[in-house]
Amino acid sequence: MSRKSNVFKKKSITGKKSVLEKSSAPGRKEQLVESLKLPKDMLLGASILTMTGNHELWVENYKGIIEYTTESIILQAKTGQIAICGCGLVIDYYTNEDMKIIGNIQCIRYL
């Protein structure tokens, strides 16, 4: 059995040189989590976002607060950043593991 850490596919673009594109095949860690039927959020550090309507948002497994205004809250997650946009946004409470954001939430983006 061959051992591959990153799998790349060759993708050709018309009239241009071919480029290498990373395959979307799951990594070793993801395969292990799937095979053992373990919770992904705990082992991979994935953030969990739970919304109630567009007025409450619970965020679990975040690392820190990057930006905090009444129109935008940007959080650092393990795999990137999470931007919450809206009006009258307030962090109702937060701990090292989770937080509750209230206000008129208009969009959530992963950066």
Side-chain angles (χ1 to χ4, degrees), residues 29-44:
K29 202 181 243 188
E30 288 86 0
Q31 288 175 346
L32 178 64
V33 170
E34 281 293 322
S35 66
L36 295 175
K37 305 284 190 239
L38 298 171
K40 289 181 184 180
D41 61 309
M42 292 184 69
L43 294 175
L44 301 176

Side-chain angles (χ1 to χ4, degrees), residues 49 57 67 71-75 80-86 105-111:
L49 282 70
L57 173 67
E67 180 182 322
E71 290 84 32
S72 173
I73 298 173
I74 300 177
L75 305 174
Q81 296 177 350
I82 302 168
I84 299 103
C85 304
I105 301 167
Q106 296 171 345
C107 76
I108 297 171
R109 291 180 294 161
Y110 293 89
L111 309 173

Side-chain angles (χ1 to χ4, degrees), residues 43-54:
L43 294 175
L44 301 176
S47 296
I48 300 172
L49 282 70
T50 308
M51 283 190 70
T52 304
N54 66 334

Side-chain angles (χ1 to χ4, degrees), residues 35-99:
S35 66
L36 295 175
K37 305 284 190 239
L38 298 171
K40 289 181 184 180
D41 61 309
M42 292 184 69
L43 294 175
L44 301 176
S47 296
I48 300 172
L49 282 70
T50 308
M51 283 190 70
T52 304
N54 66 334
H55 296 288
E56 292 181 332
L57 173 67
W58 284 270
V59 181
E60 299 175 62
N61 298 337
Y62 73 97
K63 285 189 163 191
I65 301 168
I66 296 173
E67 180 182 322
Y68 177 30
T69 67
T70 57
E71 290 84 32
S72 173
I73 298 173
I74 300 177
L75 305 174
Q76 181 65 51
K78 183 177 180 180
T79 58
Q81 296 177 350
I82 302 168
I84 299 103
C85 304
C87 300
L89 299 178
V90 176
I91 297 177
D92 192 35
Y93 77 88
Y94 70 96
T95 67
N96 289 337
E97 297 151 2
D98 63 344
M99 77 167 48

